Amino acid sequence: MIINFNDFTQEEMTNIQKVYDVAEKELALPQDLEVNLVIVSPDTIKEMNNKYRQVDRVTDVLSFPMLNNLNEINNECDATFGEVNIGDIYICRERATEQAQEYNHSIKREICFLALHGLLHLLGYDHIDHKDEQIMFPLQDKILQMAEITRD
């Protein structure tokens, strides 16, 4: 998977790459996927959240998929030579830092969690209802654990 990083530290890029490598194997994803990951300010993510979700507040992560689900992604990969961009993920570092403190874990864990959470949304996973949440949340925990991203 190709990850285009914007405003991440080298350590964050290394950690997210490790998480995405685990996700790629665990979910049997095509290797020719491309994702854009961007750090944005609280003001920017609040504007985006309001514009696209009609929620006027700062949030931690927003995902904008290019395709609807993993079946569409696989079909696009089969029909395309080269990388298939599956979407954009925007993370607010300030909100992530606040949440890491609230949840009593590291910023490393929170940034990796948000990057993975965003990726799963790009792949068609969701947590709108309890049934979907019971699939997505344990999968997040499993992948983070396999990538050795702990709550410590």
Side-chain angles (χ1 to χ4, degrees), residues 3-152:
I3 308 168
N4 300 311
F5 291 100
N6 188 331
D7 288 334
F8 286 82
T9 67
Q10 185 60 50
E11 180 181 3
E12 289 168 340
M13 291 187 288
T14 300
N15 291 329
I16 292 168
Q17 183 69 61
K18 183 177 181 182
V19 170
Y20 277 28
D21 288 347
V22 170
E24 187 175 55
K25 289 177 186 150
E26 182 64 21
L27 300 171
L29 298 176
Q31 292 183 357
D32 47 359
L33 300 182
E34 182 176 3
V35 175
N36 301 310
L37 271 168
V38 183
I39 293 287
V40 294
S41 71
D43 289 341
T44 298
I45 208 158
K46 181 179 178 182
E47 284 178 30
M48 294 171 76
N49 202 19
N50 193 24
K51 180 176 181 179
Y52 297 107
R53 296 181 61 232
Q54 292 71 54
V55 178
D56 190 26
R57 66 176 168 82
V58 174
T59 190
D60 51 5
V61 62
L62 291 172
S63 299
F64 296 93
M66 299 293 280
L67 301 165
N68 291 319
N69 57 48
L70 198 49
N71 287 334
E72 277 190 25
I73 291 167
N74 286 327
N75 290 339
E76 186 70 20
C77 287
D78 290 344
T80 305
F81 294 103
E83 287 77 32
V84 173
N85 189 313
I86 61 171
D88 303 326
I89 301 167
Y90 296 88
I91 296 174
C92 177
R93 185 187 316 278
E94 287 86 344
R95 185 66 189 121
T97 301
E98 292 168 2
Q99 288 179 172
Q101 292 170 349
E102 289 170 22
Y103 302 141
N104 198 30
H105 58 238
S106 68
I107 185 66
K108 170 186 170 180
R109 197 266 182 200
E110 188 66 18
I111 292 287
C112 287
F113 169 81
L114 294 173
L116 176 59
H117 188 86
L119 175 65
L120 291 176
H121 278 307
L122 295 184
L123 297 171
Y125 291 87
D126 214 332
H127 51 89
I128 292 174
D129 63 42
H130 185 66
K131 180 182 168 193
D132 292 336
E133 185 178 292
Q134 288 182 310
I135 296 168
M136 185 176 177
F137 288 5
L139 181 58
Q140 289 173 152
D141 291 342
K142 179 180 182 181
I143 291 169
L144 289 170
Q145 184 177 27
M146 291 172 69
E148 300 175 340
I149 305 295
T150 63
R151 291 189 178 268
D152 299 334

